[in-house]
Amino acid sequence: MLDIQFIRNNPELVKEKSKQKGYGVDIDQLLGFDGKRRELQLQVEDLRRRKNEISDATKGQRPSDEQVAQGREIKDQLGTLEHQLSSIEQEFVTLLKTVPNMPTEDVPVGVSENDNVIVREWGQKPQFDFEPKSHAVLGEERGWIDKERAAKVAGSRFAYLKGDLVLLEFALWQFALSQLTSQDVIRKIISNNNLQVSDKPFTPVIPPAVAKTEVYDATGRLNKEEQTYKLADDDLWLNASAEHTMAPMYMGEILNESDFPIRYVGYTTAFRREAGTYGKDSDGIMRLHQFNKLEMESFNLPEDSLNEHLFMIAIQEYLMQSLGLPYRVVMKCTADIGGPNARGVDIDVWLPSQNQYRETHTADYITDYQARRMQTRVRRGNGEVQLVHTNDATAFSERPLIAILENNQTADGHVRVPEVLRQFLSGKEVM
RNA sequence: GGAAAGGUGGCCGAGUGGUUGAAGGCGCUGCUCUCGAAAAGCAGUAUGUCGGAAACGGCAUCGAGGGUUCGAAUCCCUCCCUUUCCGCCA
C-alpha cells in the first residue's frame, strides 16, 4: 500500500506512474474519499470528546438525569456518523490498495514484457553437433518426468519427477543453502560486486505453505481465486511462493534496529492456478500448478534496501554461474514489474530447444509497500519508528533443472551434472 | 475434533463497569555520582491518526469484530490464536 500522504502531496506523479505500470486508478476519486473521510472523522472525534467529557465529569458518582440524557443523544448521533465514516473508510481503503508502488527512476517505461531491457548476458550458449532435445523429451525418454500419470491423479499441469532428476533437484537446494548460509561465500559475492551491504548469512526457513486471507492480502501478492488456490473449508490460501508466507512473518511487530538486516532463505512447494495460460508452456515442467522453490526474503532498513536488492541479484548470478548456465539479466519495464514492486529484475536462462531465454529468477524491490499494510516496523536508535523495507528474490526454482537438462545434454541422451552438484549425486558426472 | 485455562505496552505482569493509556518490575534514554565503569538515586520512555509552523491538543487502540451501558481492558456474542489434557496422526 502506498502512503496516502505521498498521494496527497504528489497526485499528478502518482497518476502518471500508475499509468506507466498499466494501473488505471482514479486518484481524484481516492482523494475525494480521503477528504470526505477526514471531514467525518473530525465530526466523530468531536462527539466522542463530548462523550468523554460527560463520563469524566461523573467520575465515580451516579450521573444526573441530564447527563444521561445528553449521553444518549450523543450516542445516537455518533451511531449515524460512525456508520457513515466506516463505509467511506472502506471505500477509501479498497481504492488505496489498488494504487501500485511507484517505480524507481531507472525502471524503463513500457507497456509489455517486450519493453524489458537486457542488461547483460553471461556464458557461452552450447553448440551441438546433433539436434538437441527439449527437456520434456529427455525427461520422458529417461523416465525422469511422467505427466501422463500425474494427470490421471491430479489433472493437467502436474508431474511426477523421478530418479536422477529428483536427486538433481535436491542437489540444487543443498547447493544453494550451503552457499547462502556461508559467510565466506556471502563476503566473496559482496566484494566481487563492490556492494555496500551486511555480510550476514541467510537463515534457512521452511515456512507454512498457506496463509490466511487477511495476511496474504497484506503482502499485496494475493491474486484472487483465478490465480491462487483457496482451501474451500478454511480461510486459507496455498502460497504461490515462499515469499508470500515469509514476508508477513513480522506482521504487526516493531523490530529492533540491531537485528537488521534479517535475511531468510525459505523453501516451499508453490501452487499456482495458471489460469489464462492454456496451451502456454504445456510441454514438460516449465509451467506447473505445483513446483518447488527456494526463495530469499530480507527485511531491511530503508537506506539499505536498494543495495540489498542489488546484492540479491548478485547472488542469483553467482548461483547461475556456479552451474555454468548461460543467462541474461533483464531489467523489467514498468508494465512488467507488478503492483508492489518499485523495481524488478529477472534472470533468464538459455534454453536450446526453444532457442530463446526463459525466466528462472526474479528479484523484487518492494520498498515499504508491503510493510505499510503488514505494519512491520523498526525502532531506530534515535527512538523513531519506521516501516521496514522488504526484498525478495528467487534462489532457485525447478526451472534451472530444465536448463541443465537441455544445455548439458549429450548426443546419447544423457546429461552432464554441473560440477558443484555432483557431490549430491554420489559424485556422478553424467546422469 | 472434545474439555479447560488464557491472550494487557519493547518484555514480564497488575487490573472484573467510572480520575486506567493503563500500577509495579525489567529493558532502554538522559542526568547526578565517578578518573572511567558498575552500583545507586532522579527523570523520561507505546502506537496510529486528525488539527497545528511548532509547542501542544483531540480521538482511537488492552487478540479481532460486533453488542449492552450515560460510561467497557473489565459484562454479553462471534471469530482468531496460545497453553494443557483427551482423541487422531507423519
Side-chain angles (χ1 to χ4, degrees):
Chain A
M1 195 164 73
L2 212 57
D3 184 3
I4 184 62
Q5 302 271 22
F6 180 82
I7 301 174
R8 277 182 209 142
N9 297 337
N10 308 279
E12 294 309 316
L13 181 76
V14 173
K15 280 180 203 172
E16 194 198 320
K17 297 264 185 185
S18 300
K19 203 174 155 199
Q20 286 177 357
K21 290 182 87 170
Y23 282 68
V25 193
D26 191 337
I27 298 298
D28 293 326
Q29 190 185 30
L30 177 70
L31 292 174
F33 286 155
D34 182 43
K36 182 75 189 156
R37 152 182 162 266
R38 285 200 279 174
E39 200 179 289
L40 273 168
Q41 188 172 333
L42 279 177
Q43 296 175 35
V44 165
E45 287 181 0
D46 189 57
L47 277 173
R48 284 178 184 157
R49 182 180 51 75
R50 283 170 53 201
K51 181 184 85 170
N52 290 341
E53 277 167 6
I54 292 172
S55 134
D56 276 356
T58 60
K59 295 193 179 171
Q61 309 146 24
R62 193 158 293 155
S64 68
D65 289 350
E66 196 191 341
Q67 285 170 323
V68 171
Q70 275 180 354
R72 279 223 177 91
E73 195 192 320
I74 290 172
K75 193 159 80 167
D76 288 346
Q77 291 176 20
L78 257 182
T80 315
L81 280 176
E82 279 176 339
H83 186 77
Q84 289 176 25
L85 178 61
S86 82
S87 81
I88 190 94
E89 186 91 42
Q90 211 175 345
E91 285 185 285
F92 167 73
V93 171
T94 303
L95 194 54
L96 179 58
K97 287 198 285 196
T98 65
V99 182
N101 201 357
M102 299 291 102
T104 57
E105 284 307 314
D106 60 346
V107 175
V109 177
V111 294
S112 79
E113 63 176 20
N114 296 326
D115 298 313
N116 293 347
V117 173
I118 297 158
V119 179
R120 60 182 163 270
E121 299 190 9
W122 184 92
Q124 293 290 319
K125 294 173 191 166
Q127 301 295 318
F128 297 102
D129 48 16
F130 58 92
E131 187 61 33
K133 292 169 180 163
S134 73
H135 80 283
V137 169
L138 272 167
E140 202 189 330
E141 282 179 3
R142 300 294 309 281
W144 291 329
I145 299 171
D146 182 349
K147 287 182 73 183
E148 269 186 48
R149 290 196 176 90
K152 186 166 69 181
V153 172
S156 65
R157 288 199 191 279
F158 287 92
Y160 284 101
L161 302 190
K162 300 192 299 183
D164 280 346
L165 187 61
V166 173
L167 295 183
L168 191 69
E169 173 170 330
F170 276 86
L172 226 45
W173 313 141
Q174 293 275 43
F175 171 66
L177 285 172
S178 72
Q179 302 304 293
L180 290 176
T181 55
S182 157
Q183 193 161 44
D184 287 346
V185 172
I186 298 294
R187 282 185 179 145
K188 193 168 80 187
I189 294 170
I190 292 170
S191 79
N192 288 347
N193 292 276
N194 287 313
L195 292 166
Q196 301 296 313
V197 291
S198 158
D199 62 0
K200 200 169 167 182
F202 287 75
T203 302
V205 179
I206 298 179
V210 296
K212 301 179 205 182
T213 302
E214 189 200 348
V215 175
Y216 211 144
D217 197 37
T219 65
R221 298 294 196 192
L222 183 60
N223 300 300
K224 290 305 176 191
E225 282 87 343
E226 62 269 19
Q227 285 306 332
T228 311
Y229 285 102
K230 171 88 168 69
L231 299 187
D233 294 332
D234 299 278
D235 179 34
L236 291 171
W237 303 75
L238 292 176
N239 74 175
S241 163
E243 176 223 333
H244 304 174
T245 41
M246 287 196 288
M249 199 168 175
Y250 296 110
M251 202 166 160
E253 294 190 42
I254 299 175
L255 304 162
N256 289 321
E257 177 169 351
S258 58
D259 294 333
F260 281 73
I262 300 174
R263 287 180 176 152
Y264 290 120
V265 52
Y267 173 87
T268 60
T269 300
F271 299 90
R272 299 184 182 182
R273 294 176 61 90
E274 297 292 352
T277 61
Y278 300 109
K280 234 191 213 176
D281 301 319
S282 52
D283 245 17
I285 60 167
M286 189 70 192
R287 192 180 296 277
L288 298 177
H289 288 310
Q290 176 197 324
F291 61 97
N292 301 314
K293 190 152 68 83
L294 192 64
E295 178 89 358
M296 297 178 267
E297 173 78 32
S298 71
F299 301 86
N300 303 284
L301 300 175
E303 65 270 26
D304 295 334
S305 61
L306 186 56
N307 282 331
E308 184 79 0
H309 172 62
L310 301 176
F311 172 54
M312 284 182 166
I313 296 165
I315 291 173
Q316 294 175 322
E317 289 197 64
Y318 167 81
L319 291 172
M320 290 300 267
Q321 289 173 15
S322 300
L323 299 183
L325 293 171
Y327 67 83
R328 67 179 187 189
V329 178
V330 174
M331 183 83 181
K332 290 197 283 187
C333 75
T334 48
D336 206 27
I337 56 177
N341 282 50
R343 194 176 194 272
V345 173
D346 276 358
I347 287 185
D348 298 347
V349 74
W350 177 252
L351 291 188
S353 74
Q354 298 189 12
N355 205 37
Q356 61 172 337
Y357 286 98
R358 296 300 306 267
E359 178 188 337
T360 57
H361 293 69
T362 293
D364 295 318
Y365 175 55
I366 311 282
T367 65
D368 60 9
Y369 191 87
Q370 284 181 324
R372 182 164 293 105
R373 277 188 59 203
M374 299 190 300
Q375 283 297 296
T376 300
R377 292 167 293 173
V378 54
R379 190 183 309 279
R380 304 304 300 258
N382 61 7
E384 197 189 330
V385 173
Q386 291 178 333
L387 292 168
V388 307
H389 280 202
T390 53
N391 284 81
D392 66 86
T394 321
F396 277 133
S397 65
E398 285 175 333
R399 281 190 179 170
L401 297 175
I402 299 174
I404 294 171
L405 260 49
E406 295 199 0
N407 284 282
N408 293 12
Q409 63 181 297
T410 59
D412 60 357
H414 284 70
V415 172
R416 267 185 306 104
V417 178
E419 212 173 314
V420 295
L421 301 184
R422 286 177 193 164
Q423 58 172 311
F424 305 110
L425 282 91
S426 323
K428 222 181 253 191
E429 285 178 30
V430 171
M431 60 183 249

